[in-house]
Amino acid sequence: EDEEIVAEIMRRRFFPALITHKAWEGFHFAGHEIRITEATDCYGAVVWPSALVLCYFLETNSKQYNLVDKNVIEIGAGTGLVSIVACLLGALVTATDLPELLGNLHHNVLQNTKLKCKHQPCVKELSWGIDLEKNFPKSSCHFDYILAADVVYHHPFLDELLQTFDHLCKNDTVILWAMKFRLEKENQFVGRFETLFDLEVISDFPSLNITLYKAMRKGRVKA
């Protein structure tokens, strides 16, 4: 079953028939053809399989996780594929990443959502752990969903990543997080994450070494 679903997910990707001066990949999600411009010299400007897993989940579970008119933020948006799919599914999306990635991110988001979506998406700088209250004040920022695909990899900012999840997440916020397991240090982040959030596995893909989690804040008042 895992391999069948993974094969279906990977069939959503296509490549240009002719090689041009600008590298791009194509994807089919939410009833649209999505073209993503990439830059192979940067981790954040490449589409990784975790993003495809999360996009496929959002599309195929749109009734249970209805994004229409919901406030959604993606952290570590990279090329913007997940944000684009969320926007095409009706969400009011804020796509965030480091300042050096915003140009390509903005290009992809605008190119693939203009005149196609109910809500115009926003692209915004977010350096994990830095100026969180200034740029995303708790009093006025409320997100129904936080989306994250492959944000845990070999980097020194795991403390800041956890701080960012904590800052952005309200009691009723749902986190959908696709993680590829690589190195033990990064894998241990899951245990640290569980000190603040209730974590549930909602999909698992052993052939890709990717797990899709749903999380909500611990100690929240349940309806």
Side-chain angles (χ1 to χ4, degrees):
E1 183 181 0
D2 163 51
E3 293 180 356
E4 290 178 3
I5 297 175
V6 168
E8 169 59 25
I9 292 172
M10 294 306 166
R11 278 196 290 270
R12 301 301 187 93
R13 168 185 262 162
F14 67 93
F15 299 93
L18 298 175
I19 303 300
T20 64
H21 68 282
K22 183 180 291 186
W24 63 271
E25 287 187 65
F27 304 88
H28 291 289
F29 286 109
H32 290 269
E33 179 181 296
I34 301 167
R35 294 192 177 192
I36 296 293
T37 301
E38 296 184 317
T40 56
D41 60 342
C42 179
Y43 286 126
V46 176
V47 176
W48 298 100
S50 292
L52 301 185
V53 167
L54 184 49
C55 288
Y56 181 81
F57 179 84
L58 293 175
E59 181 188 74
T60 56
N61 293 272
S62 59
K63 291 185 178 180
Q64 182 178 0
Y65 296 91
N66 185 359
L67 299 185
V68 177
D69 298 330
K70 297 296 195 299
N71 282 317
V72 173
I73 186 169
E74 184 186 5
I75 62 173
T79 63
L81 178 62
V82 173
S83 288
I84 291 164
V85 171
C87 193
L88 292 170
L89 290 170
L92 180 58
V93 176
T94 302
T96 70
D97 215 313
L98 296 169
E100 60 265 29
L101 296 173
L102 294 187
N104 189 58
L105 174 59
H106 188 271
H107 168 78
N108 284 329
V109 168
L110 181 64
Q111 175 179 269
N112 289 284
T113 61
K114 188 175 182 180
L115 304 179
K116 299 177 183 178
C117 299
K118 184 176 183 180
H119 303 288
Q120 183 65 36
C122 170
V123 174
K124 191 170 181 179
E125 176 184 343
L126 173 53
S127 299
W128 297 339
I130 298 176
D131 293 332
L132 293 175
E133 181 59 29
K134 175 184 176 182
N135 296 324
F136 299 90
K138 287 190 174 185
S139 60
S140 59
C141 286
H142 179 279
F143 297 106
D144 299 294
Y145 289 93
I146 299 172
L147 305 179
D150 221 4
V151 291
V152 180
Y153 51 87
H154 185 59
H155 60 63
F157 303 113
L158 295 180
D159 289 341
E160 291 81 359
L161 173 59
L162 188 59
Q163 181 184 354
T164 300
F165 272 123
D166 185 37
H167 180 85
L168 296 174
C169 189
K170 296 289 200 298
N171 283 339
D172 58 346
T173 302
V174 174
I175 299 171
L176 295 176
W177 166 31
M179 171 158 172
K180 183 174 179 68
F181 287 82
R182 294 185 176 91
L183 303 175
E184 186 56 32
K185 177 185 176 182
E186 284 71 38
N187 298 349
Q188 291 172 356
F189 179 82
V190 175
R192 296 174 58 197
F193 186 88
E194 288 183 290
T195 64
L196 297 178
F197 302 98
D198 292 322
L199 198 61
E200 174 188 351
V201 174
I202 51 178
S203 289
D204 193 34
F205 303 96
S207 63
L208 294 174
N209 216 21
I210 291 172
T211 299
L212 180 59
Y213 294 106
K214 171 187 175 181
M216 296 187 75
R217 180 176 291 284
K218 282 185 178 292
R220 66 192 181 281
V221 177
K222 298 181 181 180

